Amino acid sequence: MRKAILLAFVFMIVFSTQVFATLPNTSYNQIVYDENDISYSSAPASFVPETEHVFAGINGLKDPRDIYVDPSGEYMYIVDTGNNRIVRCDKDLRPLDILSNFSFSSTEDSLRGPQGVFVDKYTDLIYVCDTQNHRIIVFDQDFNCVRIFAEPEILLSSDTTSFNYLPSKVLVNRSGQMLTIVQSLNKGIMELSSDGEFVGYIGAPPVSVDLWQKFLRLFMTKEQRGKMEKFVPTEFDNFTFDESEFVYAASSTQMGQLMSQYSNQIVVKDLAPVKKLNPKGDNVIDYDYYPPMGDIYFDVMTQFVDVVYLSDDLFCALDKNMGRLYAYDGDGQFLYMFGGGAGERLAQGSQLGTFKTPIAVERIGSRYFVLDQATRSITSFLPTEYGSAIEKSASAYYNGDYDLAYSTWEEILRMNGNYHQAIEGMARVLLRNGHYKEALDYFKIIDSNGKHASDAFKQYRKQLVSQYQMPIFVLILSAFAFAVVRKIWIALKKLKAEAIL
Amino acid sequence: MIEKARANTFGYLSGLWREIAFSLRVMTKPFDGYWDLKHEKRGSVRASVFIILCMLLATLAHYQFSGFFFVKSFVRDEVSIIREFLVITVPFALWVISSWCFTTLMDGEGSMKDIFIATAYALVPMIIINLPLVFISNLVTLEEGAFIDVLKGIGIVWSGFLIFSGTLVTHQYSIGKGLLTILVTLAGMGILLFLALLVATLLQQVLSFFIGLYQEIGLRLL
């Protein structure tokens, strides 16, 4: 008897720990917003932390600023700014080789405070932003220096005197043109030709002066007016290409302005903290009401510092203030969120999967990698069943595989009944397949009364009208006939009365 | 006895009905209508109150029974009858008081009662247009909702014109003076609101002073 109790006790302990062990080590806030973005509820973990890489083998990182996965998905480049080097790792983050010193035209040279790296998928050349040396350097795959682009001569700007050229990120497109983010330059992304000559700026919204500002200008001194003219703060933090070389750019400076002007829909598109720029530099991001902007209701404002493009128009943006990652689909619809730590009282980045100062995010396969500048480490995240189902459904819907998307959404709803995106998606599939009444019912469940719901209603109304064509026709006809008969009746009565008189 | 009460009730109701029905004439022929309203006593305060209640009903019906595409469910869930009542009556009262203040100064011939009745009767087009729209909004899609907005706009403009013509007829004003009066009345509404807020704030201060005094005495002396 005693043995049995003991055994049961042991079993209890073993199984209880097992239960806890199988629970993913999640960070604290996993949330999903409802359709109207007015409330949120908790959600299952979409991604869970796997390991934290600290790179002890190469004496650790110092003030790292960026990570970059080359187009083949085989290598990751870590920009180890404080150590003046670039570290190349394999996709499991084992360091392979290090770039710090190099020789160019038989002179020894070295990097100083590099902040960005990019690998051109057409030429396999590595572009490094040697920020503190004011230049962009091109290396081949064996880290031999091929070319150095010094500071370009800026033709358009009138105030070059105080300008300090500090290129921090670079992208190179099909034709060899370089797009660079230059630190403390608030005119957008600088575009350089393949020879390193200045072409122009893209991505900065046009300066709009409203009537009130024009009125205020009447009373301003010249100095004040000059100050106002410089008010075009579009400073990007990081950017990335999608397959067709549209630029996804994150900007942490936009949120404050966005929050003060969110009722002005035109301005909001220009101030979106994550932009999708076409080659002309226009923001072409899609969204319903709010642009992708992280937390809509918050104590600490979301500020996106980096964005990673996944596939099928999905992208994920990193918020430095709360250490959270937010994924969106091509319609700007929020998909999932994970991470945490930075701004929260509880974690402060000490728990695995939370961050102190997250600064860059990359993705290899289904793994996310997040670089934390303060803890000098890279944390990898693996998807849960829930997280991968969300991505699967979004991709399936994007690729037109509606049946797969529908069944995946059903699966997601079993895991999270509050996931309104699934209901919305199912409603859209139903609408597409001609089940208008059901689609409308689904839209009504989540109170989604936008364009798609309206289309469903229109088709449903058409169905009803054609179904009850006969009765409606008879009703209208009889009403008309009744009116005519009544008119004649009255006229006859009148005639009769007159005849009698 | 019962017969008499029944006759009284019937008389009251039929009288009220005639007064309310007269609003249709005011609506279609504002200048004649307002003249009769004032000089032949075709309207009444009780009918005006009834019209204001109808306005409240129309607003509530809009929130409760409008189509899916025109009222978000979280708005519908948050509707408060008291708040909607205040949203209608407070601006109404401000308008009437402010209008009376200025027209009295500007040689207007209307009494406060006249202004109250004229303003209430001016609301009728909005009620008459909005109520059927609640039903129609259940049959139209989001894109067709533009028609509803247009019709609502017509209702507001119509009511605005009735208020204007009501002011002209009630006080025997010329057009220019009428426009001026309306502008001044609008400004007066702002001033009234400001004064009300000022009084409220001051009262609050005084009140908190006495509460503080009471607490101090209670804690220190007793």
Side-chain angles (χ1 to χ4, degrees), chain B residues 29-184:
Chain B
K29 293 202 166 71
F31 288 96
D32 286 355
Y34 272 120
W35 180 268
D36 293 349
L37 198 66
K38 188 185 166 194
H39 296 281
E40 308 203 348
K41 307 251 182 291
R42 300 291 292 271
S44 68
V45 173
R46 56 184 187 179
S48 304
V49 171
F50 184 81
I51 288 170
I52 292 170
L53 289 179
C54 282
M55 185 76 196
L56 177 65
L57 272 182
T59 314
L60 295 177
H62 162 70
Y63 281 121
Q64 288 307 314
F65 305 117
S66 272
F68 173 56
F69 300 105
F70 303 101
V71 179
K72 279 267 181 193
S73 76
F74 66 85
V75 176
R76 179 168 300 172
D77 295 344
E78 296 284 307
V79 172
S80 145
I81 296 179
I82 294 169
R83 195 181 61 210
E84 294 308 323
F85 178 73
L86 290 178
V87 162
I88 293 167
T89 49
V90 168
F92 189 90
L94 278 179
W95 170 269
V96 171
I97 294 168
S98 168
S99 182
W100 176 75
C101 292
F102 285 107
T103 50
T104 311
L105 287 177
M106 292 163 81
D107 305 325
E109 293 182 358
S111 64
M112 193 151 187
K113 187 180 150 196
D114 292 335
I115 296 169
F116 178 76
I117 293 172
T119 314
Y121 273 61
L123 296 178
V124 172
M126 277 205 276
I127 300 168
I128 285 186
I129 289 181
N130 286 3
L131 273 176
L133 283 184
V134 172
F135 174 69
I136 291 168
S137 72
N138 281 289
L139 304 177
V140 297
T141 62
L142 201 55
E143 295 95 61
E144 295 153 6
F147 290 107
I148 289 186
D149 290 342
V150 168
L151 286 172
K152 273 191 178 160
I154 290 174
I156 289 167
V157 170
W158 196 340
S159 286
F161 178 71
L162 285 191
I163 284 183
F164 173 63
S165 51
T167 311
L168 292 193
V169 175
T170 315
H171 305 296
Q172 299 267 35
Y173 281 163
S174 64
I175 288 178
K177 200 170 181 187
L179 281 175
L180 182 72
T181 315
I182 283 172
L183 285 181
V184 170

Side-chain angles (χ1 to χ4, degrees), chain A residues 70-89:
Chain A
D70 85 334
S72 65
E74 289 300 316
Y75 302 112
M76 175 177 285
Y77 294 80
I78 303 166
V79 182
D80 194 359
T81 307
N83 288 324
N84 302 320
R85 62 183 182 178
I86 308 284
V87 181
R88 179 158 60 186
C89 310

Side-chain angles (χ1 to χ4, degrees), chain A residues 155-222:
Chain A
L155 300 170
L156 297 180
S157 182
S158 52
D159 50 359
T160 43
T161 43
S162 62
F163 178 64
N164 191 7
Y165 178 68
L166 293 168
S168 69
K169 310 286 177 225
V170 64
L171 292 177
V172 183
N173 66 15
R174 198 165 303 168
S175 52
Q177 278 193 326
M178 286 176 281
L179 303 174
T180 55
I181 293 175
V182 180
Q183 250 178 23
S184 70
L185 175 78
N186 58 13
K187 289 179 176 136
I189 296 167
M190 190 188 277
E191 203 177 347
L192 302 175
S193 74
S194 53
D195 293 324
E197 277 156 15
F198 177 78
V199 177
Y201 299 109
I202 65 165
V207 189
S208 57
V209 181
D210 60 16
L211 212 61
W212 175 244
Q213 276 172 331
K214 269 184 191 156
F215 176 72
L216 279 182
R217 284 166 71 88
L218 293 176
F219 304 99
M220 282 180 173
T221 62
K222 216 173 187 178

